[in-house]
Amino acid sequence: TAMDRVRRALEHAADAGVPVAFHPHAATYVETPAEIEGLLEATAADGMGICLDSGHTLVGGGDPVAVAEACGDRITHLHLKDVDGAVLARLRAGEIDVDGGWEAGLFCPFGTGEVDLEAFLAAPPVRSCDGWLVLEQDRMQVTAGDLPAVAAVERANRERVLAWATA
């Protein structure tokens, strides 16, 4: 059923002349490495791109570098995230669901979590991607009073990525 919906979306996009990139995402029909592989195989003839997300790949049980290599030149966009290992362990143990994980800080400042962001950024399919690279640290319940701290973390995230990308 999910692939039928993807195919219909691809047809509508093709009719409109719009390229498509699918974003494998935690808590969806396409999140695990096997599901991503199945999506790649099922859409190989359609030219559909992949929006690869380092954090959602890890949450879905994959190694972001290995999945990047499996996606190869199909990667058209990148979302860069890091994942808090303690929150991920709670999620995998069934203590919290994905929404609870977001609330507990599943996605953490770059370089403090379980994703090897340096290796991910160095992977050939990632380095050769000429699409958007979005720096993300998903948060829940941010208030106006949180904005200075959030801005400081985002500046630090950007600085880490620039250092890794130019190394």
Side-chain angles (χ1 to χ4, degrees), residues 19-146:
V20 175
F22 190 97
H23 182 327
H25 199 285
T28 69
Y29 290 110
V30 182
E31 66 175 330
T32 69
E35 292 162 347
I36 294 169
E37 181 180 335
L39 176 75
L40 290 168
E41 289 174 8
T43 60
D46 300 311
M48 183 183 76
I50 295 293
C51 174
L52 188 61
D53 185 308
S54 59
H56 286 285
T57 298
L58 184 70
V59 172
D63 168 20
V65 173
V67 173
E69 290 170 355
C71 291
D73 64 359
R74 302 274 299 273
I75 299 172
T76 58
H77 301 293
L78 296 158
H79 287 187
L80 198 61
K81 285 190 187 79
D82 207 345
V83 177
D84 183 293
V87 178
L88 182 60
R90 291 178 59 208
L91 177 66
R92 289 184 174 160
E95 295 174 21
I96 54 176
D97 62 11
V98 172
D99 290 335
W102 262 288
E103 291 175 14
L106 179 62
F107 300 109
C108 59
F110 296 174
T112 66
E114 299 299 313
V115 176
D116 186 344
L117 293 168
E118 288 181 79
F120 182 74
L121 288 168
V126 171
R127 289 199 73 84
S128 66
C129 176
D130 62 359
W132 285 92
L133 169 62
V134 178
L135 311 183
E136 290 187 308
Q137 186 184 335
D138 295 348
R139 295 176 178 85
M140 297 289 287
Q141 303 171 342
V142 174
T143 66
D146 299 326

